[in-house]
Amino acid sequence: MALEYRGVSKDFVTNPDNPLTAVRDINFRVEEGEFVSIVGPSGCGKSTILSMTAGLYQPTRGEVFVSDERVVGPNAHVGFMLQKDLLLPWRSIVANVEFGLEARGVGKAERRERAMKELRHCHLAGFENHFPYQLSGGMRQRAALARTLAIDPEIILLDEPFSALDAQTKLLLQNSFGGTIAAAGKTTLLITHDLAEAVLMSDRILVLSERPGTIVAEIRIDLPHRDQPLKRRVLPEVSRYAAELFGHLKLEEKAL
């Protein structure tokens, strides 16, 4: 499934006389199976783009499409992982991972099997019967990632999913996750402040301006091993791409 944004702007009316425009005139398309990252300054509307894609609220102007169908509300084809883990404190970790499957009416045995598979994938085997308060912040974030993957969405939206992880676990999960979504052909949109992460995992990167966010650059990552970020990491071109991204961000800052 593909994503498309046609002339999308979003205003938040906190003051009727002075509405806040988060993003303005956003136009881009994410092809089926493509991995696109969005980078930009804090507060430039990156998360707003994901929220509109997930159908959590509507654009003020323009339209968002999932597989040529306009987004008018939450979509069963989309999995959305937020910056906060939002685990339910009264449910065990495995029950949290099962939550989306349970809501979709998946049988108990199948949802347990799928939840345990994703917990192993996210290096949480052995912690399935723990509760959120018993896990570190990074482990909770991994549990939230397992919950997103368990519903097997065709489109995955990621809002800084690896930001709370230690460096070693972050690299391992980037590599594992990159391979999983590439093999499954998932269409993925990632928000990140980590420029190297964007280069390691993406087919394309979009750079947003300061608020109101507009697309100021689009960089295609012409490197092998998108399905193996650890292999891509050692390529000398990674630093060049990261420097190019940083240059766009600094140029944008100087233009203000």
Side-chain angles (χ1 to χ4, degrees):
M1 285 190 166
L3 298 173
E4 190 168 3
Y5 306 77
R6 302 178 188 171
V8 171
S9 299
K10 178 62 180 178
D11 299 336
F12 292 98
V13 185
T14 54
N15 180 349
D17 297 324
N18 187 26
L20 185 151
T21 301
V23 294
R24 177 181 292 159
D25 196 26
I26 298 294
N27 293 277
F28 70 96
R29 181 177 173 87
V30 183
E31 299 297 341
E32 183 172 352
E34 188 178 22
F35 194 121
V36 173
S37 291
I38 300 178
V39 301
S42 296
C44 71
K46 300 185 295 295
S47 296
T48 299
I49 291 173
L50 290 194
S51 294
M52 288 188 288
T53 311
L56 300 183
Y57 42 72
Q58 293 295 301
T60 306
R61 294 170 295 282
E63 296 173 308
V64 180
F65 292 86
V66 170
S67 195
D68 297 321
E69 293 187 8
R70 188 168 69 88
V71 175
V72 295
N75 191 312
H77 299 294
V78 175
F80 189 9
M81 182 175 170
L82 298 162
Q83 288 175 314
K84 296 182 179 179
D85 60 71
L86 300 179
L87 298 176
L88 301 175
W90 59 89
R91 295 181 70 124
S92 68
I93 296 304
V94 68
N96 266 285
V97 176
E98 289 179 342
F99 183 74
L101 297 170
E102 186 179 339
R104 296 182 180 198
V106 176
K108 184 176 181 180
E110 182 182 349
R111 67 176 185 255
R112 180 56 54 97
E113 180 182 356
R114 288 167 64 174
M116 289 303 300
K117 175 186 174 183
E118 297 306 335
L119 285 170
R120 289 190 296 270
H121 175 248
C122 292
H123 306 283
L124 284 172
F127 293 92
E128 60 270 14
N129 294 320
H130 286 60
F131 287 82
Y133 76 90
Q134 296 174 301
L135 270 59
S136 68
M139 294 172 75
R140 289 169 60 107
Q141 196 73 349
R142 281 186 271 156
L145 180 59
R147 180 183 57 197
T148 302
L149 294 173
I151 63 172
D152 194 25
E154 295 178 72
I155 293 171
I156 301 177
L157 307 177
L158 301 168
D159 195 341
E160 300 191 69
F162 309 116
S163 60
L165 303 177
D166 63 87
Q168 181 177 343
T169 303
K170 182 176 183 177
L171 289 173
L172 290 172
L173 270 186
Q174 285 172 345
N175 199 61
S176 178
F177 184 71
T180 297
I181 61 173
K186 303 292 187 184
T187 304
T188 308
L189 192 58
L190 167 71
I191 300 299
T192 182
H193 284 284
D194 186 333
L195 303 185
E197 177 175 271
V199 176
L200 293 177
M201 302 196 73
S202 305
D203 297 305
R204 269 189 304 141
I205 302 172
L206 305 176
V207 182
L208 261 60
S209 68
E210 289 275 359
R211 189 178 64 240
T214 58
I215 297 173
V216 296
E218 178 180 325
I219 300 172
R220 186 167 295 277
I221 307 300
D222 187 20
L223 294 175
H225 307 310
R226 200 264 275 172
D227 61 333
Q228 295 177 289
L230 282 177
K231 278 192 174 182
R232 181 179 278 193
R233 183 180 179 85
V234 303
L235 300 175
E237 296 91 343
V238 169
S239 296
R240 176 177 61 80
Y241 278 114
E244 183 179 354
L245 286 169
F246 184 72
H248 283 296
L249 292 169
K250 294 300 287 184
L251 285 171
E252 179 61 30
E253 180 181 295
K254 291 178 182 177
L256 293 177

